[in-house]
Amino acid sequence: MPRYELSLILKAMQRPETAATLRRTIETLIERGAVVRGLESLGERTLPYKISKHNFRHTRGGYFLVDFHAAPKIFPAFLNHLERDVDVVRQTVLKKEIPITPSNCCGPPPAQTKDITTQPE
């Protein structure tokens, strides 16, 4: 399964309501077969611009990152669920690329070359 990162902006709420919203979101991911690897809180801050969502104008929000593995087929229903959630102001899912290092790349390591155009004096 590919690895993804969900960035969430939740409306400004007290800690228990925020925790309930995050729990609801992560449980929805798990119910659809995703494997959640991590949750990171980036804190609450002023939004860069006012966002209107569910008949309310938001000026502050809590920023969160969820790292998970999932099959691509779950996203239409999951994003629809997040769109209908009144506590979610904005959501974005990004696919995380796995960096290729020489240890997990096929083929021999690159050869070391020397510059032979200059002569020592």
Side-chain angles (χ1 to χ4, degrees):
M1 288 190 289
R3 189 171 180 178
Y4 296 95
E5 182 175 77
L6 169 66
S7 61
L8 285 173
I9 301 176
L10 303 181
K11 70 180 186 179
M13 301 179 283
Q14 297 295 320
R15 183 169 281 190
E17 290 88 4
T18 302
T21 301
L22 289 171
R23 183 179 301 116
R24 189 170 59 233
T25 302
I26 291 173
E27 285 175 354
T28 302
L29 272 172
I30 292 171
E31 287 170 1
R32 287 173 165 73
V35 178
V36 177
R37 297 178 52 99
L39 170 65
E40 183 178 355
S41 173
L42 302 177
E44 184 177 313
R45 47 182 96 154
T46 304
L47 299 175
Y49 51 89
K50 295 176 184 170
I51 299 175
S52 296
K53 187 79 177 242
H54 301 291
N55 298 322
F56 188 76
R57 291 190 73 168
H58 302 278
T59 57
R60 291 192 60 79
Y63 288 71
F64 296 92
L65 296 175
V66 181
D67 186 15
F68 65 99
H69 289 275
K73 65 181 180 179
I74 73 162
F75 288 112
F78 177 65
L79 292 175
N80 184 30
H81 167 78
L82 288 178
E83 193 67 35
R84 290 183 288 120
D85 193 336
V86 295
D87 295 330
V88 176
V89 175
R90 184 69 44 99
Q91 70 278 348
T92 304
V93 177
L94 299 173
K95 185 174 182 180
K96 292 182 90 171
E97 296 294 328
I98 300 171
I100 297 176
T101 59
S103 64
N104 65 1
C105 178
C106 53
Q112 296 291 333
T113 60
K114 290 184 180 179
D115 185 11
I116 58 171
T117 57
T118 59
Q119 297 288 335
E121 292 183 23

